[in-house]
């Protein structure tokens, strides 16, 4: 089995062409294929018309493009769509498309399931099934963009790695995907439009910081103290909160960048005014903003959602010191909102 074209860089494409043809391809060949896959975003290998017909037809018959196939699509009353996409081993992964006026945000997955056991998250209940390849990460965007006629203008597209999985536990594939997405000769998304959210795998934050092409960083804080975070996010027992904040301090911010801290509010657990004051202290002197997310509930989750007045009071305290926003849930009715990705079925399925 050859690795598919989506996810391949120029070097991989050259290797594939030489295996398929039995000779070293001229240098321009790999470029032509790369351009067709990522810039033109062809939907089938048979449409790579710069290639000789027999070669592209062979690629097509061997399924070498590697786009995911839609298994189910759910559409929310707010316009959000949740895609269950089938990979070539029949496993499925979820991608969410959120239209906002003229802009579109793609929430993509980095793993099938997630090995991090956050107590408030439905994805955690799946456990880890496997890592996604770079091609499977990029393929989510290429498929969903094409299915919604969004192929032309990348300046309207944002990508957040906030779907299933902990991206920093699949770092090599995530880094390769980010390079492909941010390449101006390829998909052409700006690094400014890419955000990676992590539960705080501290050593990998340093690794990502050393990458020449890297997304913006969002950190799922979710607690105001080490003890509370250990309860809610057991991974903190291994990667301590103090070290996480230090890694954030060391992140080499670009001139246009700030850090984002996400904080899931759980009723009577981490949502008091005292928690808000501790969050402010914890984040002192970091160039950052805070996004509050009132818990999105789901079966098997033991917490409840705080009242809007409690959320507002928490926000008011943080806001005195830091920019602080309340993240509006998107696609709640179709299990597409933060922390709800667990391949749930709902009645609002739309025809593919
Ligand atoms: N694994 C990464 C990215 C995916 S989770 C991470 O944890 O950062 C994306 C966001 O959803 C995280 O900020 C997480 O804290 C939040 N989240 C998880 N479960 C949630 C829930 N039930 N309600 C609201 N937000 C939740
Ligand atoms: Fe995994 Fe993120 Fe959910 Fe935690 S919140 S279980 S890291 S997907």
């Amino acid at each position: 089995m050859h690795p598919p074209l989506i996810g391949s860089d120029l070097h991989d494409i050259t290797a594939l062409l030489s295996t398929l043809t039995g000779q070293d391809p001229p240098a321009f060949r790999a470029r032509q294929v790369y351009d067709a896959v990522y810039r033109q975003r062809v939907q089938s290998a048979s449409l790579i018309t710069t290639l000789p017909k027999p070669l592209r037809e062979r690629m097509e018959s061997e399924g070498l493009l590697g786009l995911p196939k839609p298994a189910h699509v759910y559409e929310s009353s707010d316009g959000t769509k949740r895609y269950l996409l089938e990979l070539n081993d029949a496993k499925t992964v979820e991608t969410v498309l959120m239209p906002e006026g003229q802009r579109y945000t793609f929430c993509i997955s980095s793993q099938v399931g997630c090995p991090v056991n956050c107590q408030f998250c439905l994805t955690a209940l799946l456990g880890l099934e496997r890592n996604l390849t770079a091609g499977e990460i990029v393929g989510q965007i290429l498929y969903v963009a094409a299915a919604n006629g969004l192929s032309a203008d990348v300046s309207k597209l944002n990508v957040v790695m906030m779907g299933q999985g902990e991206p920093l536990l699949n770092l090599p594939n995530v880094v390769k995907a980010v390079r492909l997405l941010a390449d101006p000769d390829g998909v052409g998304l700006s690094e400014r439009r890419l955000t990676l959210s992590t539960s705080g795998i501290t050593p990998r934050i340093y690794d990502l910081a050393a990458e020449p092409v890297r997304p913006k960083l969002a950190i799922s804080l979710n607690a105001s103290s080490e003890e509370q975070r250990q309860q809610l996010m057991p991974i903190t027992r291994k990667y301590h909160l103090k070290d996480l904040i230090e890694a954030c301090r060391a992140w080499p911010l670009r001139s246009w960048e700030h850090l984002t801290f996400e904080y899931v509010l759980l009723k009577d657990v981490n949502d008091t005014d005292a928690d808000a004051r501790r969050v402010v202290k914890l984040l002192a002197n970091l160039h950052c903003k805070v996004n509050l997310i009132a818990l999105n509930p789901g079966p098997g989750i033991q917490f409840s959602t705080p009242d809007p007045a409690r959320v507002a009071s928490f926000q008011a305290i943080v806001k005195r010191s830091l920019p602080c926003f309340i993240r509006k849930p998107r696609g709640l009715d179709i299990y597409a909102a933060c922390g709800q990705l667990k391949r749930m079925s709902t009645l609002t399925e739309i025809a593919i």
Side-chain angles (χ1 to χ4, degrees), residues 114-300:
C114 184
V116 182
N117 190 18
C118 303
Q119 301 294 294
F120 41 77
C121 175
L122 273 182
T123 309
L125 300 174
L126 293 173
L128 176 67
E129 295 186 19
R130 70 169 172 83
N131 279 336
L132 294 181
T133 63
E136 289 166 341
I137 296 170
V138 174
Q140 295 171 64
I141 298 167
L142 298 189
Y143 174 77
V144 173
N148 289 276
L150 304 177
S151 295
D153 185 1
V154 285
S155 70
K156 293 182 179 151
L157 312 185
N158 295 302
V159 174
V160 295
M161 284 195 195
M162 296 187 188
Q164 286 188 13
E166 169 45 61
L168 294 190
L169 291 177
N170 185 18
L171 190 57
N173 291 327
V174 163
V175 164
K176 187 168 184 187
V178 165
R179 284 188 187 175
L180 293 168
L181 291 171
D183 181 358
D185 293 333
V187 182
L189 277 169
S190 148
E191 288 166 289
R192 297 175 192 222
R193 301 194 173 284
L194 289 164
T195 302
L196 179 153
S197 175
T198 179
S199 57
I201 315 296
T202 315
R204 301 289 86 75
I205 293 178
Y206 289 98
D207 292 344
L208 184 62
E211 285 294 326
V213 182
R214 64 196 143 85
K216 293 192 290 185
L217 188 64
I219 300 101
S220 298
L221 181 63
N222 298 335
S224 67
S225 71
E226 176 92 26
E227 305 74 61
Q228 195 183 60
R229 201 166 190 268
Q230 284 186 9
Q231 297 295 319
L232 300 173
M233 303 176 72
I235 194 148
T236 302
R237 296 175 200 159
K238 185 161 178 202
Y239 301 117
H240 302 297
L241 180 56
K242 186 168 74 33
D243 301 330
L244 173 61
I245 299 293
E246 215 165 278
C248 292
R249 234 178 263 295
W251 177 264
L253 285 174
R254 289 151 284 192
S255 59
W256 42 267
E257 189 180 11
H258 56 68
L259 297 169
T260 299
F261 286 89
E262 296 147 295
Y263 193 100
V264 181
L265 288 161
L266 310 170
K267 188 182 168 91
D268 300 331
V269 176
N270 66 354
D271 65 343
T272 65
D273 289 352
D275 285 302
R277 285 190 289 269
R278 278 195 293 270
V279 166
V280 167
K281 258 198 174 155
L282 212 52
L283 305 182
N285 303 321
L286 281 165
H287 185 52
C288 67
K289 71 167 182 183
V290 176
N291 277 346
L292 301 176
I293 318 171
L295 176 80
N296 297 314

